[in-house]
Structures are given as C-alpha cells and as structure tokens.
Amino acid sequence: MAGYSTKQLLDWYLRGYHEIAITHGLTLSMLKSYLQEHDYERDLKYRMIKTLERELQAMNED
C-alpha cells in the first residue's frame, strides 16, 4: 500500500470519504492536530473527534 500524506488523508476525511481516509491511515492524532492548527470551533472539534473515534472503533470491531 502506498503511503499517503496527512494532508491527503485529511482532505478525504473532510470531503466525506471517511472510510477511505481511515483505511489508508488517518489517525485520531492527525485529526486533532489539524483541528487545533486551523482553529475550529470547540463544539465542532469535539463532534468531529467523537465521530472519528466511533468510526475507528467500528472498523476495529469488523
């Protein structure tokens, strides 16, 4: 599998391609760093982080 940049993974995720981003290596720490750097509103950051946590957990259960 080719390595993808953090930027590419985040781009996929933010465009709604969550499964693609996750299966190609997106991590919770990548999303947290991105949200912090781009000064997202606190509630939106929380919801996005919780969504990714649930998605990662669901993919690990499969």
Side-chain angles (χ1 to χ4, degrees), residues 23-41:
T23 59
H24 286 85
L26 181 68
T27 65
L28 195 54
S29 63
M30 287 176 186
L31 180 62
K32 286 180 180 179
S33 293
Y34 176 84
L35 295 174
Q36 190 68 34
E37 290 170 9
H38 291 84
D39 201 31
Y40 274 67
E41 190 265 331

Side-chain angles (χ1 to χ4, degrees), residues 4-47:
Y4 292 92
S5 69
T6 299
K7 182 179 184 219
Q8 177 64 64
L9 297 171
L10 287 163
D11 183 57
W12 284 332
Y13 191 80
L14 296 172
R15 290 176 183 261
Y17 302 110
H18 295 198
E19 189 172 343
I20 292 170
I22 292 167
T23 59
H24 286 85
L26 181 68
T27 65
L28 195 54
S29 63
M30 287 176 186
L31 180 62
K32 286 180 180 179
S33 293
Y34 176 84
L35 295 174
Q36 190 68 34
E37 290 170 9
H38 291 84
D39 201 31
Y40 274 67
E41 190 265 331
R42 186 175 166 233
D43 186 54
L44 180 58
K45 279 196 290 193
Y46 175 81
R47 287 182 288 149

